[in-house]
Amino acid sequence: MERFDAIVVGAGPAGSAAALTLARKGFSTLLVERGRAPGVKGMFGGRVYAWPLADLLPDWAKDCPVERSVVRENLAFLTENASLTVSLDSPKLAQGRGTSFTALRAKFDAWLAKKAQDAGAMLVTGIRVDDLWREGGRVKGVSVAPNDHVAAELVVIAEGAAPTLMRKAGLRADLEPREVSVGIKETVELPPEAIQDRFGLGEKEGAAFVYAGYASMGLRGGGFLYTNKASVSLGLVVSSEDLSRKKIEVQDLQTKFRMHPAVQRLLRGGKVVEYSAHLVPELGAGMMPQLSTDGVLVAGDAAGFLINNGYTFRGVDLAMASGIAAGEAAEAARASGGMTKANLAVYEKFLRARNVLTDLERFRRAPLYMKNERLFDVYPRMLMEIAERMYTVDGSGKERLFDVVLDEASAAKVPKLKMLLDLLQGARSM
Amino acid sequence: MRVIVCIKQVPRAQELQVDPVTQTLKRVGVPSEINPPDANALEMALRLKDHLAAEVIVLSMGPTSFDESLERAVAMGADRSILLTDRILGGSDTVPTAYALSETIQKIGGYDLLLCGEETTDASTGHVGPGIAGHLDLPQITYTSEIRIEDGKVRARRTAEDGTEWWETTMPCLCTVNFGCNKPREPTLTGKIRVERGGVVTHWSCADVGIDPKKVGLFNSPTIVAKVDTVRLPARAGRIFSGEPEETVRKLLDALIADRVIVP
Amino acid sequence: MTDGHVLEDKSHFRGVWVFLEHRKQGLRDVSVQLIGEGRRLADLRGAPLTGVLLGDGVDELAKYAIGYGLDRVLVVNDPILEIYRSRPYAQVMAQLIRRHKPEIVLYGASKNGRDLGGRLHAILETGLAADCVKFDIDAEGNLDMIRPSFGGKSLAHILCKKHRPQMASVRRNVFVAPPHDPTRTGEVVPEKVELGPSDVDATLVDFQEFTKEGGLRPEEAAVVVSGGYGLGDPKPFGMLQDLADLLGGAVAASRKAVDSGWVPKMLQVGQTGMTVRPDLYVAVGISGAVQHLAGMQESKKIVVVNLDPKAPLFEIADYGIVGDLFEVVPEMVRQLKALKAAAADGRTTVPATVQ
Ligand SMILES: Cc1cc2nc3c(=O)[nH]c(=O)nc-3n(C[C@H](O)[C@H](O)[C@H](O)COP(=O)(O)OP(=O)(O)OC[C@H]3O[C@@H](n4cnc5c(N)ncnc54)[C@H](O)[C@@H]3O)c2cc1C
Ligand SMILES: Cc1cc2nc3c(=O)[nH]c(=O)nc-3n(C[C@H](O)[C@H](O)[C@H](O)COP(=O)(O)OP(=O)(O)OC[C@H]3O[C@@H](n4cnc5c(N)ncnc54)[C@H](O)[C@@H]3O)c2cc1C
Ligand SMILES: Nc1ncnc2c1ncn2[C@@H]1O[C@H](COP(=O)(O)O)[C@@H](O)[C@H]1O
């Protein structure tokens, strides 16, 4: 029987960060990935907030496969054929711990997994862990097939959003439709020069867009666009409950989104080269699954560590940070005598120290708040019409801004009090 | 019981390409796999191992890039593997290949059953297996789909042109295994860990085995490929119909009638 | 055991041999076809053509074989040789070849032919080209052995310049069987060969003959309707039979359909099955692996029915339908029946389906 101190299931950002940390702390570590290579099963591109990397690999910038550093943030409201964009250009965005960059998952995940290997973890790909392996009720390792078990003191579940092992381990129930969104992403190929021209970027600079309103056709959710070196990642995250209630196919939404004039303009001449769809857990801190038990820790999406507050979408950073915390918890548990449930409970402390739980709790209202459809439908439309009327000079006489707002508000048939409440609630949860 | 399985690494079937200059198969940069019938032979061996106390050794002759397939074989469950690798073996046809593999098998020694695939997808001769049996003067049963070990004897089901034969013979013997007669298993986690830990492939040179350099390689192969002609296949109409069956079938039949292939 | 015929002087190797396979008192068709091609090569080399027949009580068969164009037949009769057995057959052939030194030895590329040739070429350390489809004699008098390679995309010319004999196996049905001339005379030469019971190292304990209930043999049919793994199970072959009946043809199959146990082995088309060259080959639910193409790509017209527009077989199709065979084949049957009925009534159009 093969034996390790720790087995990490899933070589995504959470798993690789955990394996790297564990290996450094002297655990013999096995990292198992079901894909042919790390990242091939994951989503293709996205934005990574770099701060956990600074802790994990101070030299990360040297060889990390960064596509572009994000120097411009955009928040765009869409109606059927118009858009209103708020844009932030600031040198601060690309400096220090707050820096973020776009990356292709196939490259980024492979890079991070390689770092774990360099630290001494063993990476095995092409193997899907089927279940935790138990003996006498206690977790003894992982199991792939009836005669294929590998033993370990500790199993770190970093399987991502589809909670297969989590369910089998009894650490969480099936996700309800209201707890998940559907993420869809296309990669659109464009020459680097075209990207630089259209988005007004330098060779290594990138832009990020968040879209609200018509992007999701009023369903709860939103769109995003990130610029890579020679491609653009374009996608949507939409409530799966809304999709099924309104009987809309996410692919159709995505096509409409891509064809929106404001988006179309940016992608002209591009070729869609990749397409993938994925679950996004929208648990919020209130619905967090069990994070540790005897011989088991849970990290990344598997634990629901995801923040989607409407203007930032964070998963990879929380995944990596939770992976580090898992390694730290294992070290502490070892010092206290073993991987028991009681000893592993320190995990929460380390998560808090890395602000993973803290941030999640701060935004814990976001999922609830986001249940409010007005935010995705009525308000963006209202905002747009206000702006349209402000900027329309047609000789018909200019109204005062305040009148315009009041006018629009009553046209949208939202009682003023409700609007006020929405705004208050929003401000509090963000 | 010791079973030795001879496997070769071949370019994936769909990606066979001929180098226009050297007229040989392109092997660099083309994804490879275990020759499919050899994977069936390996599975046959592993099934014997599942039921008997058998040691399965995988043997291949070729460049070190073949390690990939040998490692896969170990990850599937073989106990260890040997790669006979030496520059002087390059260009060997089936005669030196059978000779060199036979010598290596003798050096391994202690074998009871030798398994080969029915043929390779790149050379497709099927001569190496019987050639090994000839060199070692062993009983051979070719084109088998099932092998049973009973009372220390081998019983094998052979598919001939006109029927199914059951042969019985003594060990050691050599069998070649039919493509598609079983479903080769996937590598296991335990197997892959063994591979990662290293040392599952042993490299031997001709000198290690005691192979006569004057009997191997391109110059000592009886056959040479003098030239390769591209086949000019007859021109085909290449009309592909899609749509409602009623429509597509009508178009097809119209075309066949027009060609006078069918006469209503 | 080896004698490595690396030769300076090759002149004492003379004559063309064909290894004669027999079954139930008759020659196999591939052996007869070989005699035809062997005759041509022997004449080109100005040398005699010899058949080699191993068996038990095969003198009559040897005499009969001469009628196909042989000059003589070497016969070895021994109870051990009654059925084909790898080791005794290889031992005997090796002794005969060393004794008589033929220049060329041809085998059928059958299971037994390859089994024998593969063993023998290692024992004799001489060249053996597999699965040849054509021969020539080059300027230096070497046998140019031509075989498909790289999945039939090209033809390789194989030479065996320094070693003798030059050996090759020949694919079935590529050469035409010569007519039998009962008046032709030739020599039947009995050969003595050392064989003892210890040479029998394997026993045939059971044999189950493949059977095919009646019907046309695909190799002889003008139309072949062939089914593949896309059929999913044996049942849809009934549908293919209906289609074949309407077209006056026979049903065949890909190896994957055969290996799945859906149809008898005898119906397998391809490199390791039969080669067919019908006027019309209809491939249903077959992807078109190179090994399958090897057995049918010379069909006059090729029709492909496949769900997957990227199936490689479409590349060599005259006509193709991208569609579900479970819809397309019944529709073909329906329209063909309607055509037949219409022709009987003197009409020429097919009525549309009534929906
Ligand atoms: C459309 C979309 C866009 C996103 N964009 C962003 C973004 O821009 N920025 C951001 O920070 N986050 C983004 N996210 C979220 C982010 O992708 C996740 O939060 C993050 O990948 C979580 O990391 P992880 O390691 O927990 O899980 P994953 O990245 O999902 O990795 C899990 C790994 O485990 C493997 N695995 C699963 N089960 C098994 C098993 N049984 N055995 C072996 N291996 C297994 C999988 O193959 C996978 O490689 C996005 C998500 C979606 C869906
Ligand atoms: C040494 C060796 C020798 C071999 N010899 C031979 C040989 O002699 N003959 C031979 O045939 N093969 C031979 N093979 C096997 C060959 O490589 C292929 O595996 C085999 O030909 C595939 O058979 P197939 O096309 O029926 O199956 P598949 O490749 O599985 O194709 C099935 C096809 O059916 C289609 N399909 C599925 N459902 C439907 C539907 N409802 N309607 C329409 N289409 C559908 C699919 O799109 C697919 O293209 C040999 C292989 C080796 C290694
Ligand atoms: N280079 C090789 N190394 C190991 N085994 C081989 C090699 N070449 C051929 N074989 C074995 O011999 C069988 C027949 O090969 P071939 O005669 O090339 O068609 C294969 O299926 C293998 O089992």
Side-chain angles (χ1 to χ4, degrees):
Chain A
M1 163 96 48
E2 294 289 350
R3 198 169 285 283
F4 291 83
D5 295 337
I7 297 176
V8 181
V9 182
S16 289
L20 197 165
T21 311
L22 285 161
R24 272 201 196 139
K25 296 190 182 296
F27 286 80
S28 67
T29 306
L30 172 68
L31 175 59
V32 190
E33 166 58 42
R34 74 185 154 148
R36 188 164 37 76
V40 299
K41 286 250 166 183
M43 303 284 294
F44 197 55
R47 176 239 294 271
V48 178
Y49 292 97
W51 60 272
L53 279 177
D55 297 343
L56 202 57
L57 298 156
D59 277 345
W60 66 271
K62 254 200 220 144
D63 56 358
C64 176
V66 165
E67 289 290 306
R68 289 170 184 273
S69 296
V70 177
V71 297
R72 184 168 307 121
E73 301 280 356
N74 303 275
L75 176 59
F77 299 93
L78 302 185
T79 58
E80 193 170 347
N81 54 16
S83 66
L84 169 66
T85 307
V86 182
S87 182
L88 170 66
D89 246 313
S90 162
K92 269 206 183 141
L93 289 174
Q95 282 164 15
R97 280 178 75 85
T99 177
S100 76
F101 58 87
T102 58
L104 303 180
R105 289 296 300 279
K107 287 188 194 165
F108 181 76
D109 286 15
W111 170 80
L112 196 57
K114 178 76 182 31
K115 294 287 175 196
Q117 277 179 294
D118 291 348
M122 178 188 290
L123 170 68
V124 168
T125 58
I127 294 281
R128 202 182 142 275
V129 170
D130 179 61
D131 204 347
L132 296 176
W133 175 51
R134 289 166 201 275
E135 242 181 26
R138 204 195 171 296
V139 174
K140 282 282 169 69
V142 298
S143 151
V144 173
N147 283 315
D148 196 13
H149 316 295
V150 176
E153 301 289 305
L154 172 69
V155 178
V156 178
I157 301 180
E159 62 178 341
T164 321
L165 280 187
M166 290 295 286
R167 231 176 35 229
K168 287 193 177 169
L171 294 174
R172 65 157 307 119
D174 252 334
L175 290 169
E176 303 262 339
R178 75 190 155 79
E179 294 171 341
V180 283
S181 292
V182 179
I184 188 166
K185 172 140 59 190
E186 289 175 342
T187 307
V188 184
E189 236 172 40
L190 278 174
E193 302 73 41
I195 294 176
Q196 277 133 226
D197 282 358
R198 282 178 208 181
F199 294 87
L201 299 168
E203 217 181 297
K204 294 190 169 146
E205 295 175 342
F209 283 73
V210 171
Y211 292 93
Y214 190 78
S216 55
M217 291 177 67
L219 305 191
R220 284 171 294 164
F224 58 84
L225 180 156
Y226 301 114
T227 55
N228 303 314
K229 247 180 224 137
S231 66
V232 166
S233 302
L234 180 79
L236 288 169
V237 179
V238 196
S239 149
S240 94
E241 195 180 18
D242 288 8
L243 279 171
S244 56
R245 192 157 44 84
K246 301 240 165 104
K247 296 200 173 51
I248 300 180
E249 292 291 331
V250 68
Q251 287 89 337
D252 296 343
L253 268 191
Q254 171 79 2
T255 309
K256 286 224 172 74
F257 176 40
R258 181 171 8 91
M259 303 303 251
H260 191 283
V263 177
Q264 184 64 32
R265 237 193 321 274
L266 298 173
L267 302 181
R268 217 177 325 111
K271 197 166 101 218
V272 181
V273 290
E274 259 221 29
Y275 162 92
S276 57
H278 212 282
L279 288 182
V280 183
E282 298 269 8
L283 302 173
M287 284 181 264
M288 205 87 71
Q290 211 177 316
L291 298 177
S292 61
T293 183
D294 270 320
V296 179
L297 289 175
V298 189
D301 275 8
F305 295 156
L306 202 106
I307 293 173
N308 178 5
N309 58 14
Y311 56 86
T312 56
F313 189 21
R314 299 173 50 189
V316 174
D317 59 327
L318 298 177
M320 291 189 291
S322 64
I324 302 173
E328 292 167 332
E331 182 183 44
R334 184 174 57 186
S336 338
M339 305 298 149
T340 60
K341 183 172 179 172
N343 289 345
L344 287 171
V346 290
Y347 182 35
E348 196 169 311
K349 200 186 84 198
F350 287 104
L351 283 171
R352 241 171 250 292
R354 299 203 167 267
N355 282 323
V356 176
L357 283 181
T358 347
D359 280 0
L360 274 164
E361 280 160 2
R362 190 167 304 135
F363 291 105
R364 77 179 182 278
R365 276 167 220 269
L368 292 177
Y369 169 65
M370 293 178 78
K371 280 194 181 319
N372 187 338
E373 263 179 71
R374 285 185 294 280
L375 200 85
F376 302 91
D377 185 11
V378 180
Y379 296 154
R381 246 191 2 240
M382 223 173 79
L383 212 59
M384 186 75 61
E385 273 166 42
I386 293 171
E388 276 169 354
R389 282 172 65 172
M390 274 166 60
Y391 288 104
T392 307
V393 179
D394 56 6
S396 60
K398 219 59 193 131
E399 293 134 302
R400 281 167 49 221
L401 186 57
F402 186 67
D403 296 337
V404 175
V405 174
L406 282 182
D407 249 30
E408 290 303 330
S410 54
K413 298 201 186 65
V414 182
K416 289 187 191 76
L417 186 64
K418 221 176 192 150
M419 205 161 105
L420 204 66
L421 282 174
D422 281 351
L423 287 174
L424 274 175
Q425 203 184 5
R428 250 194 17 231
S429 81
M430 292 183 183
Chain B
M1 185 169 132
R2 175 173 283 177
V3 186
I4 301 177
V5 188
C6 294
I7 69 166
K8 188 180 182 189
Q9 181 165 307
V10 295
R12 285 243 168 92
Q14 261 63 41
E15 293 160 88
L16 283 178
Q17 278 179 348
V18 185
D19 187 315
V21 182
T22 61
Q23 298 288 23
T24 53
L25 274 184
K26 275 192 193 166
R27 293 190 190 273
V28 189
V30 178
S32 301
E33 62 184 0
I34 296 176
N35 177 47
D38 300 356
N40 296 114
L42 175 59
E43 175 62 28
M44 188 89 92
L46 295 175
R47 287 187 189 181
L48 291 174
K49 182 180 163 174
D50 289 343
H51 300 292
L52 306 161
E55 181 197 20
V56 176
I57 302 174
V58 184
L59 168 62
S60 191
M61 165 179 139
T64 50
S65 58
F66 281 23
D67 281 357
E68 184 188 330
S69 289
L70 292 173
E71 286 177 348
R72 184 173 171 91
V74 171
M76 285 166 70
D79 293 281
R80 59 195 173 100
S81 69
I82 289 158
L83 179 68
L84 176 66
T85 186
D86 202 314
R87 291 183 73 109
I88 63 169
L89 290 166
S92 292
D93 74 1
T94 53
V95 172
T97 302
Y99 158 72
L101 288 171
S102 307
E103 294 293 309
T104 314
I105 288 165
Q106 272 181 307
K107 159 123 179 151
I108 297 168
Y111 52 87
D112 303 288
L113 179 62
L114 304 178
L115 296 181
C116 284
E118 63 171 287
E119 63 178 52
T120 50
T121 52
D122 56 353
S124 54
T125 73
H127 293 161
V128 170
I132 294 171
H135 270 296
L136 299 174
D137 200 22
L138 297 176
Q140 78 187 43
I141 309 173
T142 49
Y143 305 103
T144 63
S145 309
E146 197 180 331
I147 294 176
R148 297 184 193 152
I149 312 289
E150 282 164 357
D151 312 323
K153 289 194 167 173
V154 170
R155 272 177 169 246
R157 181 157 58 92
R158 176 179 194 254
T159 315
E161 265 82 15
D162 43 17
T164 304
E165 307 167 341
W166 273 99
W167 286 87
E168 190 179 281
T169 190
T170 50
M171 292 193 279
C173 68
L174 179 140
C175 296
T176 73
V177 176
N178 277 339
F179 168 69
C181 69
N182 54 33
K183 192 171 172 295
R185 62 195 65 189
E186 288 300 312
T188 64
L189 177 56
T190 315
K192 288 199 165 198
I193 292 169
R194 280 195 57 214
V195 171
E196 283 299 317
R197 294 210 196 277
V200 299
V201 184
T202 306
H203 287 184
W204 280 347
S205 67
C206 287
D208 291 337
V209 176
I211 287 166
D212 180 356
K214 285 195 288 303
K215 290 176 86 172
V216 295
L218 185 64
F219 291 110
N220 302 305
S221 293
T223 60
I224 53 159
V225 178
K227 65 171 173 164
V228 178
D229 301 332
T230 15
V231 177
R232 244 170 296 131
L233 291 170
R236 303 272 178 192
R239 284 171 60 197
I240 312 296
F241 311 118
S242 54
E244 284 305 307
E246 183 162 347
E247 194 57 35
T248 55
V249 169
R250 191 189 308 275
K251 283 184 187 155
L252 170 69
L253 294 184
D254 284 350
L256 290 175
I257 290 167
D259 289 348
R260 308 210 57 75
V261 177
I262 57 176
V263 183
Chain C
M1 174 73 85
T2 56
D3 35 87
H5 301 278
V6 183
L7 301 165
E8 312 271 283
D9 176 16
K10 295 178 284 193
S11 62
H12 53 288
F13 283 81
R14 261 194 94 235
V16 177
W17 283 17
V18 296
F19 174 74
L20 300 175
E21 282 184 67
H22 57 96
R23 173 175 181 252
K24 290 184 179 168
Q25 317 303 319
L27 293 178
R28 283 186 181 268
D29 53 5
V30 64
S31 295
V32 175
Q33 293 157 9
L34 270 181
I35 296 174
E37 181 62 7
R39 183 73 263 165
R40 192 182 71 86
L41 294 172
D43 292 346
L44 279 173
R45 296 298 291 150
L49 176 66
T50 304
V52 187
L53 191 61
L54 276 48
D56 190 22
V58 286
D59 291 334
E60 279 310 306
L61 186 58
K63 264 188 222 132
Y64 180 79
I66 288 172
Y68 285 113
L70 294 164
D71 296 318
R72 56 173 192 161
V73 182
L74 304 185
V75 177
V76 183
N77 281 305
D78 194 304
I80 292 174
L81 303 175
E82 188 195 346
I83 54 161
Y84 174 77
R85 284 194 174 95
S86 312
R87 190 154 168 275
Y89 266 62
Q91 305 281 40
V92 170
M93 282 303 285
Q95 289 185 43
L96 293 180
I97 289 171
R98 284 175 180 145
R99 191 178 293 163
H100 296 283
K101 303 197 178 356
E103 187 184 25
I104 293 170
V105 184
L106 304 177
Y107 308 83
S110 59
K111 300 277 159 92
N112 291 350
R114 287 189 182 218
D115 182 286
L116 174 65
R119 188 166 179 117
L120 204 47
H121 91 306
I123 295 175
L124 297 170
E125 296 199 334
T126 191
L128 170 63
D131 233 0
C132 294
V133 294
K134 207 179 153 196
F135 294 103
D136 261 323
I137 302 291
D138 79 354
E140 294 164 35
N142 294 305
L143 181 65
D144 184 0
M145 305 178 273
I146 304 169
R147 60 169 306 211
S149 65
F150 314 136
K153 287 179 188 134
S154 50
L155 286 174
H157 293 251
I158 314 247
L159 295 178
C160 173
K161 289 187 171 179
K162 293 186 292 193
H163 298 64
R164 290 294 182 267
Q166 307 161 86
M167 309 208 296
S169 66
V170 176
R171 183 171 288 186
R172 190 162 154 247
N173 285 352
V174 294
F175 295 112
V176 181
H180 190 261
D181 172 7
T183 64
R184 186 182 171 92
T185 53
E187 226 186 320
V188 173
V189 187
E191 288 281 337
K192 277 248 159 314
V193 171
E194 303 293 317
L195 266 185
S198 64
D199 288 308
V200 183
D201 58 359
T203 8
L204 181 66
V205 290
D206 188 29
F207 176 69
Q208 227 135 46
E209 194 170 345
F210 292 139
T211 47
K212 179 181 176 295
E213 314 80 55
L216 214 49
R217 290 176 57 206
E219 288 147 293
E220 289 157 0
V223 175
V224 174
V225 180
S226 197
Y229 197 64
L231 267 67
D233 63 76
K235 253 190 257 136
F237 273 94
M239 187 166 83
L240 295 199
Q241 187 66 58
D242 293 347
L243 182 58
D245 289 346
L246 280 163
L247 293 167
V251 168
S254 76
R255 177 157 174 174
K256 223 161 141 184
V258 170
D259 283 347
S260 305
W262 302 342
V263 282
K265 185 83 186 161
M266 319 252 316
L267 297 187
Q268 181 188 316
V269 169
Q271 184 191 304
T272 48
M274 63 185 143
T275 306
V276 295
R277 276 189 214 75
D279 295 336
L280 175 62
Y281 188 86
V282 184
V284 181
I286 298 178
S287 62
V290 288
Q291 293 93 350
H292 187 79
L293 303 188
M296 47 65 71
Q297 63 189 4
E298 285 172 47
S299 304
K300 289 209 189 71
K301 287 275 184 252
I302 297 174
V303 168
V304 176
V305 178
N306 199 308
L307 215 48
D308 173 10
K310 290 204 214 67
L313 203 50
F314 278 122
E315 286 166 29
I316 63 157
D318 289 283
Y319 305 109
I321 294 184
V322 178
D324 186 346
L325 69 94
F326 293 97
E327 291 175 9
V328 173
V329 174
E331 180 62 17
M332 283 170 84
V333 169
R334 189 191 71 82
Q335 290 197 21
L336 278 168
K337 276 190 181 151
L339 272 175
K340 285 230 156 111
D345 299 352
R347 285 182 288 118
T348 52
T349 51
V350 186
T353 355
V354 187
Q355 266 160 1

